[in-house]
Amino acid sequence: MSELAKETHRSVADKEVRSVKNKRTKSLWWMYLPALIVVSIFIIYPFLNGIRVSFTDWNGFSQTKNWVGFQQYSRMFSDPDTWLVVKNTLIYGIGSTIFQNILGLLYALLLNQSIKMKALTRTIIYLPVIISPLVMGYIWYFFFSFQGGALNDLLVFFGMDKINALGNPDLNTWLIVFVNTYQFVGIAMIIYLAGLQGISKDFYEAADIDGASAFQQFKNITLPLLMPAITINMVLNIIGGLKLFDVIIALTGGGPGNASQSMSTFMYDLYFSRQDAGYAATQGVLMAFIILILSLLALVYFKRKEVDA
Amino acid sequence: MKNREKRSRILLTGLALFITLLHLVPFYILITTALKATGDFSSKWAFPTKMEFANFSQAWEQAQLGTAFVNTTLITAGAAMLLIFFGAMAAYPLARMQTKLNKVVYFIFIAIMIIPPLTALVPLYKMVVDIGLMNTRTVAVLNNLAAFLPLTIFLYAGFIRSTIPKELEEAAKIDGASTLVTFFRVVFPLLKPVTATVLIISCVFIWNDYQFSIFFLQDKSVQTLTVALAGFFGQNQNNLNLVASAALMSMAPMTILFLFLQKYFVAGLSSGSVKG
């Protein structure tokens, strides 16, 4: 068939299709109806209802709840625990993001070289990603625990004093960041590796001819062209870090006191242990707000830095 | 020049080996802890002098891991199957029919991805109690389904838009096939690569879920592996060897699958996260 004939054929076919389609063109909403119903019942409705509950003094179990206006909100903003917990949540979110990205990028740069046993290294670094964060928390509990923990065995071996790492309020939030980083650095690494492999070798060859140093090449070629990967990792890690729950439960249970509590674990505590559901819902609204703002900020900020290759 | 390259290659290989060993440390500690007898106070770094394999059977019994394995498997499989079915079906019109209504619905699905599941938990718990689904595997399936539908729809819609040629569906329609037949006979089989991705992502996360399970599955008969493990940890603070054995067993299936199918796991989990 000649090109022209093909063209005509296609446009005739197109017209036919369009007429068939016009008869049937609907939004086909029944196809997404099941999904929409499930999501409405289990996410949208409870989320909106949560906003309503945040204006009540509901204890979570009784049938009565009293409308208290902004009382829970004023309570939240004057509660010193709120600020401690928000601070911890930001440490988990921002701390994990920084460490996972720096380490993930360094690992990716290393594994992008021609070295032996690349596949093995990659597998081992990635392995923790598939393990439950709760189990990961227990694994590191065996490492950090005061009695018979691997860290203290090591300290004793070198003649130093044992430390209660998980019970130390200044230290344990950072240990949780460390465990979260260890677990999910593999995802950051893989995304950076994919990004690195997408950069054409021509850029580096040209830079070599111009006599650019390795550092200059990294700064002027690698980093700008990796920006899309950086955006994805930043947003993913910040959301993951701000939502942290399982690891904290396993490692410190949020303690001592509220010292390592995140917004998620604090909410859980308020609802189940302290029967303060209205207040828990108020904290939930704040948490949704913080996650929304920070992930959007990260998205917009890093998107703007992306360049076209 | 050649020599220098060779030397730097050896150096970098050594560095990679060192990093690999560092990353293996927690696993080494886990395994040696799991193998040591209660009351063995040797350093966690020391290899067990006498391996206590009985830890495994004892932990299996006491933590009721058998029930937990069955529950976790049923919940994971159930949710994953429904996710693929409803997710692919929902994505199709959202990717293809750009009506105003569909654009709004698609936006709703995407926006939901930002809501942390926990923020909806307080009223969700009340609702689950009210409709009598507390302590049922059904509620775990439905919760996980709802939680992963937005990402699933996002992945399927992106794939349909970018890789499935419209001509195929149009041809089927001209032949008189209904939308449903066209979708399941023509489109769905072509979605295999995303289906694999969805399957891997959802299985890993649902298998590992703790947040939903601890809220809604408090009864021993329906508890999942993570809940069983958390309970077991609470009871055995002085007998961590058993906890380590239980932890090792609970992560074994996914780990073995991962080691055999790692290519798919890595591609699945990272493509999901790249697009998510």
Side-chain angles (χ1 to χ4, degrees), chain A residues 20-49:
Chain A
V20 171
K21 254 169 107 185
N22 276 339
K23 272 181 218 138
R24 287 193 201 154
T25 291
K26 291 168 203 139
S27 50
L28 288 177
W29 53 269
W30 55 269
M31 287 186 85
Y32 52 72
L33 199 58
L36 201 55
I37 291 174
V38 171
V39 165
S40 304
I41 296 178
F42 287 91
I43 298 179
I44 300 176
Y45 169 73
F47 178 71
L48 297 176
N49 204 11

Side-chain angles (χ1 to χ4, degrees), chain B residues 45-220:
Chain B
W45 300 88
F47 204 73
T49 42
K50 180 178 166 288
M51 295 206 213
E52 195 68 43
F53 287 107
N55 281 351
F56 289 97
S57 54
Q58 207 184 331
W60 179 273
E61 291 281 323
Q62 286 179 13
Q64 299 183 21
L65 287 188
T67 322
F69 261 107
V70 172
N71 289 330
T72 310
T73 310
L74 286 176
I75 290 165
T76 306
M81 265 164 18
L82 291 177
L83 257 180
I84 288 167
F85 184 71
F86 289 142
M89 206 164 87
Y92 179 61
L94 295 177
R96 278 288 190 258
M97 321 285 163
Q98 296 284 333
T99 63
K100 260 195 197 121
L101 175 68
N102 287 4
K103 280 183 191 163
V104 171
V105 171
Y106 186 68
F107 176 78
I108 291 176
F109 277 120
I110 301 310
I112 290 174
M113 286 204 271
I114 303 175
I115 302 179
L118 260 168
T119 55
L121 221 60
V122 174
L124 183 61
Y125 186 85
K126 178 76 166 47
M127 187 186 82
V128 168
V129 173
D130 286 348
I131 57 181
L133 283 180
M134 194 57 197
N135 284 321
T136 59
R137 286 181 286 256
T138 313
V139 76
V141 168
L142 290 172
N143 267 327
N144 282 306
L145 177 64
F148 287 102
L149 264 174
L151 177 65
T152 305
I153 291 172
F154 182 64
L155 292 174
Y156 272 123
F159 190 83
I160 292 172
R161 264 190 217 126
S162 63
T163 38
I164 308 290
K166 263 187 178 166
E167 284 76 8
L168 285 171
E169 299 148 48
E170 284 158 0
K173 276 192 187 151
I174 291 169
D175 291 343
S178 70
T179 315
L180 204 60
V181 172
T182 310
F183 176 70
F184 279 106
R185 284 286 183 71
V186 181
V187 180
F188 189 72
L190 295 171
L191 299 179
K192 259 184 212 147
V194 219
T195 302
T197 299
V198 170
L199 202 62
I200 287 166
I201 293 179
S202 56
C203 284
V204 167
F205 286 105
I206 299 172
W207 184 275
N208 290 336
D209 169 67
Y210 178 64
Q211 280 186 15
F212 285 132
S213 314
I214 190 64
F215 273 67
F216 301 110
L217 306 174
Q218 293 164 358
D219 194 276
K220 282 246 175 206

Side-chain angles (χ1 to χ4, degrees), chain A residues 107 117 120-122 124-125 140 143 182, chain B residues 13-29 45:
Chain A
Y107 284 175
M117 298 190 305
L120 177 76
T121 309
R122 214 183 66 166
I124 300 298
I125 292 173
W140 282 101
F143 193 88
Y182 167 80
Chain B
T13 304
L15 184 63
L17 186 68
F18 177 68
I19 291 168
T20 310
L21 287 176
L22 270 187
H23 275 256
L24 279 174
V25 164
F27 289 96
Y28 175 79
I29 303 289
W45 300 88

Side-chain angles (χ1 to χ4, degrees), chain A residues 14-15 89 91 106 110 146 150 168-169 205 218 230 238 245 249-250 253 269 280 291:
Chain A
D14 269 355
K15 257 178 213 144
T89 306
I91 290 177
L106 289 177
L110 174 67
F146 183 62
N168 180 341
E205 276 163 21
F218 175 76
I230 296 176
I238 206 156
F245 180 82
I249 297 285
D269 221 32
I291 292 190

